[in-house]
Amino acid sequence: QVQLQESGPGLVKPSGTLSLTCAVSGGSISSSNWWSWVRQPPGKGLEWIGEIYHSGSTNYNPSLKSRVTISVDKSKNQFSLKLSSVTAADTAVYYCARVRDGVMDVWGKGTTVTVSS
Amino acid sequence: SYELTQPPSVSVSPGQTARITCSGDALPKQYAYWYQQKPGQAPVLVIYKDSERPSGIPERFSGSSSGTTVTLTISGVQAEDEADYYCQSADSSGTYGVFGTGTKVTVL
């Protein structure tokens, strides 16, 4: 049974870069799935950030595209999110999820990132 | 960018039927998915490909599609169904994903 676990700093300074990793266990990141990032600001709705295939192909939210990079590390069976030039508006719970045939069917528990000096 | 619109809230008495709509121009071309989210928890898939129900999801959850609107129906609502519900789909070219604005279901 595939499980996902997000990790990374819980506090990032304004104008800095947010970096998170999602570790995949119980399955291979090289399987025929996409792997995605979703975030949820406090008290607000879900926002789709982007996704990556094990080949390295990516799709990004147009509103975040200039600041987002998603990468995959097959040797460690994990994928990562980098979001640059962060502001308080990037404060959120960040989730990683597996996308199988269009469905986000497995989610991590989420990790809270606060942007503050 | 592309948007999916949902009503902010729906209130329903136990045993009654709740209907949540999601509107978007690309919905005739792209499948919709529905997620249930309870406070402090990650979202859980309740409907996929407009109307398919994953295993383990109660039969009272159903989905339908008509033109630019998809609908999640919860028949015989139970107290445990109180949650936020989000539709999710993709833009017309399938390039990127998008979530709906979310609907809070309150069981009176």
Side-chain angles (χ1 to χ4, degrees), chain A residues 5-23:
Chain A
Q5 179 66 60
E6 305 91 347
S7 62
L11 181 64
V12 181
K13 293 188 186 311
S15 78
T17 296
L18 179 159
S19 297
L20 297 175
T21 296
C22 181

Side-chain angles (χ1 to χ4, degrees), chain A residues 38 40 44-48 51 59-62 95 101-104 107-108, chain B residues 1 33 35 37 41-43 45 48-49 86 88 95-101:
Chain A
V38 174
Q40 185 169 38
K44 297 189 177 181
L46 301 170
E47 181 177 29
W48 189 89
E51 62 184 0
N59 293 307
Y60 295 132
N61 185 327
Y95 295 100
D101 195 20
V103 179
M104 295 183 186
W107 293 67
Chain B
S1 60
Y33 307 83
Y35 296 87
Q37 187 183 34
Q41 298 182 18
L45 179 74
Y48 67 99
K49 291 186 178 179
Y86 296 90
Q88 186 258 317
T95 303
Y96 63 90
V98 63
F99 282 97
T101 49

Side-chain angles (χ1 to χ4, degrees), chain A residues 3-99:
Chain A
Q3 293 184 316
L4 306 179
Q5 179 66 60
E6 305 91 347
S7 62
L11 181 64
V12 181
K13 293 188 186 311
S15 78
T17 296
L18 179 159
S19 297
L20 297 175
T21 296
C22 181
V24 179
S25 59
S28 172
I29 202 166
S30 296
S31 57
S32 299
N33 301 304
W34 287 76
W35 305 91
S36 68
W37 287 97
V38 174
R39 70 179 183 178
Q40 185 169 38
K44 297 189 177 181
L46 301 170
E47 181 177 29
W48 189 89
I49 298 173
E51 62 184 0
I52 190 166
Y53 197 66
H54 62 78
S55 63
S57 295
T58 54
N59 293 307
Y60 295 132
N61 185 327
S63 67
L64 297 171
K65 189 172 184 177
S66 64
R67 299 193 292 131
V68 171
T69 302
I70 298 176
S71 58
V72 64
D73 187 336
K74 288 185 278 189
S75 67
K76 295 183 178 179
N77 215 39
Q78 64 185 33
F79 62 107
S80 299
L81 168 71
K82 289 189 185 298
L83 181 65
S84 63
S85 304
V86 297
T87 69
D90 296 308
T91 293
V93 175
Y94 286 77
Y95 295 100
C96 58
R98 182 181 75 173
V99 184

